[in-house]
Amino acid sequence: MTRFSGSKFATALQLRSVAKYVAQLIFVGAGYFVLAKAALTLASIHASAVPIWLPAGFALAAVLVCGLRVWPAIFAAAFAAGPLAEIPAANAADWVLPACVATASTIEALVGGSLISVWSQGRRTFDTPTGVAKFALVALASTLIGALVGVGSFYLAGYLDWDGLGASGAAWWLRDAAGAFVLAPAAALWAIGSFRAFDVDSALSSSLAIVAAILVGLIAFSPLFEQSALRSALAFLAALPLLWAALRCGERDTATAVLILSCFAIWGALADGGRFAGATSDEGFLLLAVFMISISVVSLALSAYVSVRKRAEVKLRHQEQILRAMFSQSVVGVAQIDTTGRFALVNNRFCGVARRAAPELLQMRIQDLTDPDDLPHLANLIRHAIRTGEGFALESRHVMPDGSRRWMRNNVSAIADYSGAVRHLMVVAEDVTERRRAAEDLKRAHDDLEKSLEERTASLEHTTEVLHTEIEQRKRVEAALKQDIAERRKAQEALMESEWRFRTVIQGVTDYAIFMLDRGGYITNWNVGAQRIHQYAAAEIIGEHFSRFYTEEEQQRGEPARALHLAAYEGKCAVEGWRVRRDKSLFWASAVIEAVRDEVGTLAGFVKITRDMTEKREAQASLERAQEQLAQSQKMEALGQLTGSIAHDFNNLLTIVSGHAQLLRRRLTDPKHLQAIDAVHAAANRGESLTRQLLAFSRRQPLNPVVTDLKERVEGVREMLVGSLRGNVELKCDIPADVWPVEVDIAELELALVNVAVNARDAMPGGGSITLSARNISLKKSDGVDQLEGDFVALAITDTGVGIAPDVLPRIFEPFFTTKALGKGTGLGLAQVYGFSHQSGGTVVATSTVGSGTTITIYLPRKQAIPVEAVQAPPTQPSVSGQGTVLVVEDNAEVAEITASLVEQLGYQTTRAENATEALNRLQRGDKIDLVLSDVVMPGGMNGIALAQEIGNHYPHIPVVLTSGYSDVVHTAQSRYAILRKPFQLSALEKSIREALERGATREDGERVLQFARSRGTSGQQ
């Protein structure tokens, strides 16, 4: 099948419309031209004028059928046919006159078609007599306009003089009018007619009408037969085919018969005058035109009238069928009787009420169905209805075929004819036997009640007489009884009001489901709160067993029955547990079932009160989790403070040990001694690493955060991670390229990854795999990840090891906690991870399943910045002996001594000060000092940072290098100064002093404190 696009399809439709329009123009033009040439040829053959101009009727029919758009074809055909053939003196080269005549013909058709379309339903104008009359008026008017325009054109062209103008105009008008009346109806009706399936009767009727018209035309009008008195009388036979077509066939066949008879009449008139021969040719012409117009209008009007009547009859028959169907299928018994009471019509329901078949009822009268006792009254009412035309309603007994009696209510209405006389009665019957029986039963009950009341009254009167003798005693008793009755009435009213208030309150409670159960556990009432909690409407649940609110497991265990049994014997049963709503969802409920007993203690039922505790239970669980998290956080914070407090002193001790080890190594040559010194130096470095991990856990380790690409950084440390694993452990990385940037201390990140990887390796003694993955995630406080909120990158390290026991999992981030054998671990690896993640603004979460492995997830906050490219460290300059004097400011004598010794090893002269005040005094005295090397933490009111600021303000030419094992003040100075952390290596000390002196030599003012590169190179592990 070929598929067309929308534009191609529209183009095809347009081309089809254009082709159809062109075909219409060609057909209309050709038809008009042929008819016009035939008429002109006929006029040239016969000396007398042609009595009809068929092109006028054809043009009017074309406009009615095709619309006004066919006017170009009419104009062109009329112009081509030309009127000059009728005028011998005409100049054939003259084109103005044909154009005017063509314009007259076109205006005539357009005016007629427009008026008929607007005023007389267009092509449907022949459907009604009124439409035919309007068509006749419009045809006469339009042809008159065309005649005036045409004759005027001839007059102006000089072909007619003023004396012959009226006669020529009248002849033109009558010819065009005859053509419009004869040809236009037939052509239009055949063009718009619908050709349905072949109908023998219709075809025979149409054929008979056409054949009759042809025969009558031949006999009465054709020149083939000789004129005689008998043949003159046969002219009246023309009415027969017209009447037959109008009464039996329709408008189209009638118009066709008119056209046939008109053609024969024209033939006879042109041949010898025929029936229309007059004293002059004009009189014969006038008689023929009047004949054709008359038979056309009259027959078309008669045919339209007959068609209207036929359509009305069809509509009436259809309505009658609808009414009969409604009558037959009515839900009430309906029957029609005549004035004698005999049934004329009955519907199915009436047959059912009377219990007789319709044929049987149609042979009976309504009196035959009525009980003899009710007949006189029924007869009087029927006579009154026939006489006055008023309806009535009557309840009477009908006799059934089995002899039984049924009470019927008959609503009777009178039906009058056109003269107002009542000819039939319409009966609507309704069986009211059951209602009558109910009324009789009610009346008997009322009579029994009245009889009982009378007997009771007599008994009371007798009692009153018996008690009359004791009236005095009864008065006192009566007074007491009145008071007691009043009190009881008040109590009863109070009880009723209390019960009403109780019901109102119960129904108004929405937070509790309160409903009653009978002794079997079936629900007897339902409040609004129960509907809200259990989601059942009262109509759905009342009468159902309350066990449907329990889970299937509890139903199988018999919990509903046990609860009722417990409430019945103990008076109350209170439980908490899961309950089921209407939509099968579960909620945690607090339910109380209490037994309800009457005045004598008999169990009457139970009242059940249920409260939805789901939110409270979830809130309690959330509170317990928050308390556990708070306790864990406080515990970790306390451990952090403890470890941070000893870091400074421990680093000072490590500085002494490391410094002396470096000095001794320069002086010793014995390999054994050198090996021993290396062991001491390695132990000091190990102690420095442990201190660093403790500071990381306590979040007091100074960080140097930079914005980094996590995927690039993990790829860079991959080789180091693989080197820390065994050969039977496989490392997998699954980090997408679109992972968000994070701001972290690269050294601490790498150390955290190594610590987690080593722990994972030790958890897989038999080998396995470690998967390092990352994903972007948006957290909410409700997610329960340490109350974090915002965009984070979740860096997860997953192993396939033995897993962590549930009781051990909460303690794995505690410092010094380890499950490894003695000497196999320090317990500070995961503590460093904990401190690093929190100090970076995130957290760390561990999940584990025993036997399946462990996942450590580090959450790092997203950074909206471009990652910083890694900068290569500059090449280390060769060591050169130093020159100048260095002032060492240190309050610890041992640290000051080893620091001065290390500086002297570099070739510098040293002088010492115990605190900042002493150092400033030396500078004020004018001592020659080239550089100040000061500790940050010192006694007194001024620490190392304050000293550096003071020197920068008063002695800007002297550079300052700061060192510290640990201090809270260091955190505040991180944004301004870089710190040389203790214990430091000799090479780091040399580099720091040299860079400080070089910057001091090139700067004449401004800050003189050295801004070191913040990297792992400033620590003791360089």
Side-chain angles (χ1 to χ4, degrees):
M1 181 181 293
T2 304
R3 298 182 179 271
F4 293 95
S5 63
S7 60
K8 291 182 178 181
F9 185 72
T11 303
L13 288 178
Q14 293 176 357
L15 293 176
R16 183 177 179 182
S17 299
V18 171
K20 182 178 179 181
Y21 177 56
V22 171
Q24 288 179 347
L25 293 179
I26 294 173
F27 178 79
V28 172
Y32 189 96
F33 181 79
V34 170
L35 290 175
K37 281 298 183 181
L40 292 175
T41 302
L42 189 63
S44 63
I45 295 174
H46 296 277
S48 61
V50 177
I52 186 170
W53 184 250
L54 293 178
F58 183 81
L60 180 59
V63 172
L64 287 177
V65 174
C66 301
L68 301 178
R69 63 179 187 172
V70 297
W71 69 267
I74 299 173
F75 180 83
F79 182 80
L84 298 179
E86 299 179 357
I87 304 174
N91 184 6
D94 189 4
W95 57 271
V96 176
L97 183 60
C100 293
V101 174
T103 301
S105 300
T106 305
I107 292 174
E108 176 183 313
L110 293 179
V111 170
S114 300
L115 290 177
I116 293 173
S117 298
V118 173
W119 188 37
S120 186
Q121 300 181 355
R123 62 177 65 180
R124 313 308 306 180
T125 186
F126 305 108
D127 291 347
T128 62
T130 304
V132 173
K134 291 180 179 179
F135 168 78
L137 294 176
V138 170
L140 291 174
S142 62
T143 53
L144 178 60
I145 293 173
L148 292 175
V149 174
V151 172
S153 300
F154 274 90
Y155 175 76
L156 294 177
Y159 294 115
L160 289 176
D161 54 11
W162 179 258
D163 295 335
L165 187 63
S168 297
W172 192 313
W173 176 37
L174 289 177
R175 283 190 304 167
D176 287 1
F181 279 103
V182 172
L183 182 59
L189 290 172
W190 276 99
I192 66 175
S194 59
F195 298 92
R196 300 183 180 87
F198 182 76
D199 185 3
V200 177
D201 293 338
S202 299
L204 289 177
S205 298
S206 300
S207 301
L208 182 60
I210 293 173
V211 171
I214 294 172
L215 293 176
V216 171
L218 285 172
I219 296 172
F221 302 109
S222 70
L224 300 179
F225 299 97
E226 182 180 357
Q227 294 293 333
S228 63
L230 178 62
R231 190 178 177 213
S232 299
L234 292 177
F236 294 100
L237 293 177
L240 295 179
L242 295 177
L243 290 175
W244 175 265
L247 296 176
R248 291 297 304 271
C249 299
E251 296 92 332
R252 182 173 61 191
D253 295 334
T254 302
T256 304
V258 170
L259 177 61
I260 293 172
L261 290 174
S262 298
C263 290
F264 278 105
I266 294 170
W267 182 20
L270 292 177
D272 56 0
R275 306 274 73 78
F276 304 101
T280 64
S281 60
D282 291 338
E283 291 179 0
F285 170 81
L286 179 61
L287 290 175
L288 179 59
V290 170
F291 170 75
M292 290 187 291
I293 294 173
S294 300
I295 63 173
S296 175
V297 173
V298 173
S299 58
L300 285 175
L302 178 60
S303 176
Y305 176 77
V306 172
S307 296
V308 170
R309 291 295 300 269
K310 287 181 178 180
R311 288 193 293 269
E313 290 177 359
V314 171
K315 185 176 180 180
L316 288 175
R317 284 196 297 270
H318 180 64
Q319 291 178 350
E320 181 182 1
Q321 291 176 356
I322 295 175
L323 291 176
R324 285 186 176 275
M326 294 174 60
F327 175 80
S328 176
Q329 301 300 325
S330 176
V331 296
V332 297
V334 181
Q336 181 180 335
I337 61 176
D338 57 17
T339 55
T340 64
R342 185 171 300 279
F343 289 103
L345 289 174
V346 291
N347 70 345
N348 296 334
R349 179 58 182 166
F350 192 89
C351 295
V353 170
R355 298 182 184 179
R356 289 176 173 85
E360 181 181 356
L361 287 174
L362 294 177
Q363 301 298 323
M364 301 175 66
R365 299 183 306 161
I366 192 172
Q367 293 87 341
D368 299 334
L369 301 179
T370 306
D371 187 91
D373 296 338
D374 299 330
L375 277 178
H377 186 43
L378 175 63
N380 292 333
L381 291 175
I382 291 176
R383 285 193 295 271
H384 181 268
I386 295 172
R387 185 175 63 258
T388 62
E390 298 177 355
F392 63 89
L394 171 67
E395 289 188 4
S396 60
R397 289 163 293 179
H398 279 203
V399 181
M400 298 295 107
D402 58 358
S404 60
R405 300 295 194 269
R406 303 286 295 181
W407 281 95
M408 298 292 171
R409 177 177 178 82
N410 297 317
N411 292 290
V412 182
S413 301
I415 302 176
D417 57 11
Y418 292 105
S419 63
V422 175
R423 301 300 182 187
H424 293 88
L425 299 174
M426 186 63 67
V427 180
V428 179
E430 180 184 2
D431 190 342
V432 295
T433 305
E434 301 301 329
R435 191 190 69 188
R436 296 276 299 199
R437 289 177 180 174
E440 292 174 357
D441 293 341
L442 182 62
K443 185 176 182 305
R444 284 194 297 271
H446 183 266
D447 295 340
D448 294 342
L449 181 60
E450 286 186 349
K451 182 178 180 181
S452 176
L453 183 61
E454 292 175 357
E455 293 176 354
R456 183 63 176 169
T457 302
S459 176
L460 289 175
E461 290 176 353
H462 176 71
T463 303
T464 302
E465 293 176 359
V466 172
L467 294 178
H468 186 69
T469 58
E470 301 178 0
I471 189 63
E472 296 300 330
Q473 294 85 357
R474 294 293 296 174
K475 286 182 179 180
R476 292 191 295 268
V477 175
E478 184 179 355
L481 287 175
K482 286 182 179 180
Q483 183 178 1
D484 182 62
I485 291 173
E487 292 177 355
R488 287 175 65 87
R489 184 176 297 169
K490 290 181 180 180
Q492 186 177 5
E493 291 176 354
L495 179 61
M496 293 176 62
E497 183 178 0
S498 175
E499 181 180 359
W500 175 80
R501 289 179 179 177
F502 176 75
R503 289 184 177 274
T504 304
V505 170
I506 292 301
Q507 289 298 326
V509 173
T510 60
D511 293 336
Y512 292 84
I514 304 175
F515 52 92
M516 300 293 296
L517 306 175
D518 60 13
R519 289 182 296 179
Y522 291 92
I523 300 169
T524 58
N525 70 349
W526 195 252
N527 80 327
V528 177
Q531 181 173 346
R532 185 186 67 83
I533 293 176
H534 291 287
Q535 299 178 351
Y536 285 96
E540 296 177 305
I541 199 62
I542 291 178
E544 300 292 335
H545 200 271
F546 85 110
S547 61
R548 66 167 51 199
F549 304 140
Y550 287 78
T551 62
E552 293 183 1
E553 294 80 2
E554 290 179 323
Q555 292 182 24
Q556 293 175 358
R557 293 199 307 266
E559 288 297 326
R562 189 190 67 81
L564 291 182
H565 181 77
L566 184 62
Y569 280 89
E570 297 186 4
K572 180 179 181 181
C573 175
V575 294
E576 286 192 4
W578 293 107
R579 293 295 180 265
V580 182
R581 302 186 198 271
R582 186 177 186 271
D583 60 0
K584 304 303 180 183
S585 62
L586 299 179
F587 67 98
W588 187 262
S590 174
V592 177
I593 302 177
E594 291 190 5
V596 178
R597 301 182 182 275
D598 57 15
E599 294 82 357
V600 297
T602 303
L603 180 64
F606 303 91
V607 59
K608 190 173 187 297
I609 303 174
T610 304
R611 184 181 182 187
D612 188 353
M613 304 291 290
T614 306
E615 294 182 0
K616 181 178 179 182
R617 187 171 185 267
E618 292 177 353
Q620 183 65 28
S622 300
L623 178 61
E624 292 175 356
R625 288 194 299 269
Q627 290 175 345
E628 291 176 0
Q629 292 177 358
L630 177 61
Q632 182 69 11
S633 176
Q634 292 174 345
K635 177 180 177 181
M636 302 297 276
E637 184 65 23
L639 289 173
Q641 293 177 357
L642 175 63
T643 56
S645 63
I646 66 174
H648 180 268
D649 295 336
F650 191 60
N651 276 333
N652 281 339
L653 296 177
L654 291 177
T655 302
I656 297 171
V657 175
S658 176
H660 282 292
Q662 295 180 71
L663 290 176
L664 287 175
R665 199 180 195 290
R666 286 177 171 246
R667 298 173 183 176
L668 297 177
T669 58
D670 189 350
K672 293 184 178 180
H673 293 166
L674 290 175
Q675 184 178 2
I677 288 302
D678 288 339
V680 172
H681 190 233
N685 287 341
R686 179 62 176 166
E688 190 271 339
S689 177
L690 293 177
T691 305
R692 182 181 175 194
Q693 291 178 338
L694 286 172
L695 290 174
F697 166 74
S698 62
R699 285 172 277 173
R700 289 169 171 80
Q701 172 72 18
L703 297 181
N704 181 24
V706 295
V707 180
T708 183
D709 185 344
L710 201 57
K711 179 177 177 62
E712 179 182 345
R713 182 53 51 193
V714 171
E715 291 295 337
V717 80
R718 180 185 178 95
E719 294 299 329
M720 181 178 66
L721 294 176
V722 173
S724 64
L725 306 177
R726 294 189 301 272
N728 59 354
V729 178
E730 179 186 5
L731 178 64
K732 301 177 181 178
C733 291
D734 181 19
I735 300 180
D738 60 347
V739 69
W740 292 329
V742 295
E743 187 177 25
V744 295
D745 187 308
I746 296 176
E748 295 300 323
L749 172 64
E750 294 176 355
L751 181 58
L753 293 176
V754 170
N755 285 331
V756 177
V758 170
N759 276 277
R761 176 202 66 191
D762 296 339
M764 297 183 292
S769 64
I770 299 176
T771 302
L772 188 61
S773 62
R775 71 183 190 278
N776 299 327
I777 186 171
S778 296
L779 295 178
K780 301 178 182 177
K781 289 185 178 180
S782 59
D783 294 334
V785 182
D786 207 5
Q787 298 298 309
L788 294 181
E789 185 175 15
D791 292 338
F792 288 82
V793 176
L795 181 62
I797 302 96
T798 304
D799 63 61
T800 58
V802 297
I804 304 174
D807 58 334
V808 176
L809 189 62
R811 302 187 59 194
I812 62 173
F813 296 113
E814 296 180 7
F816 307 113
F817 177 81
T818 180
T819 58
K820 300 177 183 178
L822 185 62
K824 296 295 184 179
T826 62
L828 291 175
L830 293 181
Q832 182 269 339
V833 178
Y834 178 87
F836 159 72
S837 61
H838 283 76
Q839 200 168 2
S840 299
T843 189
V844 61
V845 176
T847 57
S848 180
T849 303
V850 176
S852 298
T854 303
T855 298
I856 304 295
T857 305
I858 302 173
Y859 292 91
L860 299 174
R862 177 186 184 182
K863 186 67 175 178
Q864 299 285 354
I866 300 175
V868 178
E869 297 292 337
V871 179
Q872 297 294 333
T876 305
Q877 298 180 1
S879 178
V880 180
S881 179
Q883 296 179 356
T885 302
V886 177
L887 175 59
V888 179
V889 185
E890 175 63 60
D891 62 301
N892 190 306
E894 290 83 357
V895 176
E897 181 180 356
I898 190 60
T899 303
S901 299
L902 290 174
V903 173
E904 291 171 357
Q905 285 290 321
L906 298 175
Y908 299 97
Q909 297 178 359
T910 61
T911 180
R912 293 167 55 186
E914 293 185 356
N915 51 52
T917 303
E918 184 179 350
L920 290 176
N921 289 336
R922 285 179 178 273
L923 294 175
Q924 290 174 0
R925 288 200 307 266
D927 293 352
K928 188 177 184 311
I929 304 297
D930 297 301
L931 183 141
V932 176
L933 178 62
S934 174
D935 189 15
V936 174
V937 180
M938 290 184 295
M942 183 179 294
N943 57 23
I945 297 174
L947 175 62
Q949 293 175 345
E950 190 69 20
I951 292 174
N953 294 333
H954 296 89
Y955 309 99
H957 62 283
I958 300 176
V960 179
V961 176
L962 297 179
T963 66
S964 177
Y966 166 75
S967 173
D968 289 333
V969 183
V970 173
H971 294 291
T972 64
Q974 285 296 304
S975 61
R976 294 177 293 167
Y977 311 119
I979 307 300
L980 182 62
R981 288 184 285 188
K982 299 177 183 178
F984 44 78
Q985 301 295 319
L986 187 59
S987 59
L989 179 61
E990 178 189 8
K991 182 174 180 289
S992 302
I993 294 175
R994 184 180 67 251
E995 291 180 352
L997 291 174
E998 289 175 354
R999 295 189 181 186
T1002 57
R1003 292 171 54 190
E1004 294 299 329
D1005 55 4
E1007 185 64 74
R1008 304 309 301 270
V1009 178
L1010 176 60
Q1011 303 295 325
F1012 297 109
R1014 300 177 182 177
S1015 64
R1016 295 174 61 187
T1018 62
S1019 70
Q1021 293 182 349
Q1022 183 176 356

